[in-house]
Amino acid sequence: MTTGITVPSVASAGSSGPPRPRRIRLRGHFGRLPHFGVVLLLVTFGATLLTSLLPGSPAAAILGPTATAADIAALEAENGWDQLLPIRYVRWLFGAVQGDFGTSMQSGEPVLGEILARIPVTLELSLLALAISLLIAVPAAMYSASREGAALDRVSSGAASALMSTPVFVAGVLLIYLLAVTTGWFPIAGWSPIADGLGTNLMFAFLPALALALGEAPAFFRLLRADMITTLNEDFVTTATARGLPRWYILTRHVMRPSSFSLVTVAAVTFGRLLAGSVVVESLFALPGVGNLVLQAIPARDVTLVQGVVVFIALVYVLINMAVDGLYALLDPRVRTR
């Protein structure tokens, strides 16, 4: 049976009666589920393989230098580390499918509980960074595209190139010095949950989110600017201009929507990357997020915790990609899966 979403279509010229519904077929969209499943398997197996390639024994790292060979062997047997890699991975995978990601070697707490306790910080940081980057990129791209080749357009393009080549940790250090150390406007590091007050929370979250946003906004700016320049050369824009419509009206009503499909797709994928890539910023600003959790787990050889974080982030990333595929097909009726 074919699965579909019914959307209205414009009636053809000369036809009578109400327009017939047009169906967007989603069979191909759901047909990609096995592909996403394979991606999850490869990512989680890769995480297991990498942790196994680390020198030394996880049990020896956990027990310390005073541990005896018998103690190390007992801990390895208890956690299945003395088994072959494929067997360990399959056992862990069966547990993960049932929601059991294992127990952290450091805290003795369930890995899933550790992740859920930290994910609000990373989630807020990623959402705020995405919002700031779009607030910077969209108005700048609209202005530059409408004045292609002007002095401000060249300055904006040059600034975007400079920001794209600036590492996130460099931007973070500069922001700390300029807006925290020198002026004292924002705290240098740390975190305040939303429960302690939204204003205080945003004071701690703004600088790390801005550091991430400065790395993403240039890409959004260049993508949207290029698409808007292409759209501005279309015949319908020329017609709207000839009718005497205000420039701002043409940009917001006629140019922005058909130029934003690529931006929506890239922004959604960027959100998934921000969730997985906030390790540097969380470490720099001492934030209790998932990225900092991984940084603490790796030197402690907490293999179970690293595996759990990797599969959780991979699952979120895959779900975002699936949602983007469906959203893009709905936003752009030209996209069809046959």
Side-chain angles (χ1 to χ4, degrees), residues 33-43:
L33 287 176
H35 167 74
F36 291 129
V38 171
V39 170
L40 281 176
L41 289 175
L42 292 176
V43 169

Side-chain angles (χ1 to χ4, degrees), residues 227-240 258 334:
D227 287 346
M228 292 191 73
I229 289 174
T230 301
T231 306
L232 283 169
N233 293 321
E234 297 288 343
D235 292 339
F236 69 90
V237 176
T238 304
T239 302
R334 294 170 297 180

Side-chain angles (χ1 to χ4, degrees), residues 32-109:
R32 297 185 63 184
L33 287 176
H35 167 74
F36 291 129
V38 171
V39 170
L40 281 176
L41 289 175
L42 292 176
V43 169
T44 53
F45 182 77
T48 306
L49 178 62
L50 288 176
T51 53
S52 299
L53 292 177
L54 291 175
S57 167
I62 293 169
L63 295 177
T66 59
T68 64
D71 294 334
I72 294 175
L75 186 58
E76 288 181 343
E78 179 183 349
N79 291 276
W81 293 333
D82 57 342
Q83 298 175 348
L84 295 175
L85 175 63
I87 297 176
R88 295 204 315 270
Y89 176 69
V90 170
R91 288 183 58 185
W92 175 84
L93 185 62
F94 274 116
V97 170
Q98 301 173 30
D100 180 15
F101 289 175
T103 302
S104 171
M105 296 292 102
Q106 299 179 87
S107 63
E109 299 293 330

Side-chain angles (χ1 to χ4, degrees), residues 9 13 30 32 45 64 78 81-82 85-86 114 123 184 224 226-227 244 262 280-281 307 313 327 335-336:
S9 63
F30 289 107
R32 297 185 63 184
F45 182 77
E78 179 183 349
W81 293 333
D82 57 342
L85 175 63
E114 293 264 352
L123 184 62
L224 183 59
D227 287 346
S262 299
V280 175
V281 169
Q307 286 177 323
I313 295 299
L327 179 62
V335 176
R336 292 290 182 271

